[in-house]
Amino acid sequence: MSEHLITLHLTATSVVSGTITTSTSTVTSTTTTTTLTPLVKRFTASVVLGNILGGVTTILSSSFRDDTGSNLAANSLTVPGSNGYYNVFVNGVLQLSYLTTLTTASLVINTGLTIGVTVNLETLSFTASSTSTSTSTSTSTSTTNNLVVTTTVNTH
């Protein structure tokens, strides 16, 4: 009797049915930090006879002293831009804005002041800088519902 090898021949087929649902959500948050930096400068001058002409007082830049007591150079008054303003005080009294005009060369006050009065000029300018940081977080979720695996085995 001869020995024979018995081999089994099978074919298998599988079918997977059902639903798989996947969802992803993303959340983004932004943080903005703004820094506002003021720049304040103060100047003082005394009115002298040469400042008054035709009912208008014009004080040249070189007639003013700064907070340290130093005389200013010609054309060196600080004129605030759109992010600032200036105040003018005559003998300590705040003047209305329509009465004054400020340039780097001079301060013009649209009235004849008395000789010897003190004029104080205060300029304020603001600089803003901002930094933004964004953070995103993603979350994925998968849901499996009613998965069915059917396998058919065929013998030959």
Side-chain angles (χ1 to χ4, degrees):
M1 175 182 224
S2 69
E3 293 182 27
H4 291 287
L5 188 59
I6 301 173
T7 57
L8 180 63
H9 293 280
L10 300 174
T11 305
T13 305
S14 294
V15 176
V16 179
S17 62
T19 58
I20 298 175
T21 305
T22 303
S23 64
T24 302
S25 63
T26 302
V27 176
T28 302
S29 64
T30 301
T31 302
T32 301
T33 303
T34 302
T35 303
L36 186 63
T37 306
L39 175 63
V40 180
K41 293 188 177 183
R42 292 175 201 86
F43 309 98
T44 188
S46 293
V47 175
V48 295
L49 182 59
N51 297 138
I52 306 165
L53 182 63
V56 174
T57 304
T58 302
I59 305 171
L60 298 177
S61 172
S62 57
S63 298
F64 281 94
R65 286 175 280 122
D66 64 16
D67 274 343
T68 66
S70 300
N71 288 332
L72 297 183
N75 298 314
S76 62
L77 282 171
T78 301
V79 179
S82 60
N83 291 329
Y85 61 93
Y86 68 94
N87 291 315
V88 175
F89 299 87
V90 175
N91 277 346
V93 178
L94 179 63
Q95 301 301 296
L96 299 173
S97 63
Y98 73 88
L99 289 175
T100 63
T101 304
L102 178 63
T103 66
T104 58
S106 65
L107 171 67
V108 176
I109 303 171
N110 293 320
T111 187
L113 297 179
T114 305
I115 295 171
V117 300
T118 300
V119 175
N120 294 308
L121 170 64
E122 176 184 59
T123 64
L124 293 97
S125 299
F126 299 93
T127 303
S129 62
S130 295
T131 303
S132 294
T133 304
S134 294
T135 304
S136 293
T137 304
S138 294
T139 304
S140 262
T141 305
S142 295
T143 305
T144 305
N145 293 319
N146 301 322
L147 276 186
V148 177
V149 178
T150 305
T151 302
T152 305
V153 178
N154 297 315
T155 57
H156 297 275

